[in-house]
Amino acid sequence: MHAVLRVALADAERMDLVPRNVAKAANPPALGRAERRALTPEEAKTLLSVLTGDRLESLFVLALATGLRRAELLGLRWSDVDLPGKALFVRQTLQRTDRGLEFVPPKTHRSSRPLPLSTLAVRALESQRVRQAKERLAAGEVWSDLGLVFASTIGTPMEPRNVNRRFEQFRATAGLEWLHLHDLRHAFATFLLDQGEELRTVMELLGHSTIRMTADTYGHVLPARARQAASAIDRILGEEGTA
């Protein structure tokens, strides 16, 4: 609220509507940040095992393997996917507006991004293409050819809330009642940081607007990285340090 008021009053001050921006003189309260519980690799494998064979299996696997947001997954088109090149491109998202479900551009210029695909992600997309071909054949003339990777059984955009409801069923089966669909995005980032990937690389893959946003969100992973760095100094300078 303070940030919004500060910007609004800055505009008002520039337009000579107010004598000064009083929000700049106010000290906003410090915001505490609750540490988000991270999905462990073992829990991720358990989740993947209960997804096997479900119609939305590939969607959830891709969420975990790429860190894509729900809106980005539901807006993904086959024309945005390059399976031979093992990459996909985020060019539109599916959002619910006052007019219903609509395709809109990504939220920021960094959100509109190319993403390299792991073998796990490529296999999920290949399985989805086969599954969708069968659904398209079964639907016949009622199929809506929008080119969506993840669509309803007749090719139309999927209702985002239904995707969440289906995921909630899977998390209960896996014994992960605390897990939300968006947590798969955070698991993707945490796994990469744990494996030593650079913060800027993770920022670019997630489509964050600034590296500070990435650092603030995943700061809980960085202390372990710092300990690894200290150990690296011991390995490099150990002999000199004991001389």
Side-chain angles (χ1 to χ4, degrees):
M1 292 173 66
H2 178 268
V4 172
L5 285 172
R6 187 178 66 247
V7 173
L9 289 172
D11 288 340
E13 184 180 21
R14 187 175 62 254
M15 299 168 65
D16 293 326
L17 298 176
V18 295
R20 68 188 183 100
N21 187 345
V22 295
K24 288 183 177 180
N27 293 321
L31 297 179
R33 180 178 293 274
E35 184 172 317
R36 184 188 300 272
R37 178 181 172 183
L39 191 71
T40 67
E42 292 73 21
E43 290 171 334
K45 291 175 182 178
T46 298
L47 179 65
L48 291 176
S49 68
V50 303
L51 293 173
T52 303
D54 188 79
R55 183 178 178 274
L56 298 185
E57 175 187 2
S58 296
L59 187 153
F60 298 134
V61 170
L62 201 63
L64 185 59
T66 63
L68 286 176
R69 303 174 179 90
R70 181 187 65 180
E72 294 169 342
L73 289 164
L74 296 182
L76 189 65
R77 296 164 296 191
W78 287 112
S79 60
D80 302 324
V81 177
D82 178 11
L83 285 178
K86 294 185 176 181
L88 63 77
F89 302 86
V90 179
R91 294 185 174 124
Q92 69 173 16
T93 66
L94 181 68
Q95 300 281 355
R96 177 165 289 285
T97 69
D98 294 339
R99 296 178 294 275
L101 291 176
E102 288 189 335
F103 294 107
V104 299
K107 56 194 300 186
T108 68
H109 74 283
R110 286 195 178 274
S111 297
S112 180
R113 63 200 186 278
L115 281 176
L117 295 176
S118 63
T119 299
L120 178 65
V122 169
R123 288 176 179 170
L125 286 165
E126 289 174 341
S127 296
Q128 176 62 15
R129 187 162 58 179
V130 172
R131 182 180 291 110
Q132 191 176 86
K134 295 178 180 177
E135 291 182 346
R136 181 171 186 163
L137 185 62
E141 294 181 356
V142 300
W143 180 266
S144 296
D145 192 8
L146 300 179
L148 296 173
V149 175
F150 301 108
S152 71
T153 54
I154 59 171
T156 55
M158 295 183 63
E159 169 56 56
R161 289 172 295 190
N162 291 341
V163 174
N164 280 61
R165 292 188 188 103
R166 188 62 180 147
F167 182 77
E168 289 167 3
Q169 295 172 353
F170 282 121
R171 73 179 185 186
T173 303
L176 301 169
E177 286 81 2
W178 59 271
L179 189 67
H180 297 281
L181 178 57
H182 198 71
D183 290 331
L184 299 186
R185 174 174 168 84
H186 295 290
F188 166 78
T190 301
F191 292 160
L192 291 182
L193 290 170
D194 278 341
Q195 292 300 309
E197 291 297 333
E198 296 296 329
L199 193 63
R200 178 162 291 277
T201 300
V202 175
M203 178 199 80
E204 292 173 351
L205 293 174
L206 292 176
H208 282 169
S209 56
T210 65
I211 198 167
R212 179 178 178 180
M213 178 185 298
T214 312
D216 287 347
T217 306
Y218 300 103
H220 64 285
V221 182
L222 301 181
R225 296 281 309 282
R227 287 193 295 273
Q228 293 172 11
S231 298
I233 291 297
D234 284 339
R235 290 193 300 271
I236 296 169
L237 303 177
E239 294 184 2
E240 290 81 353
T242 56

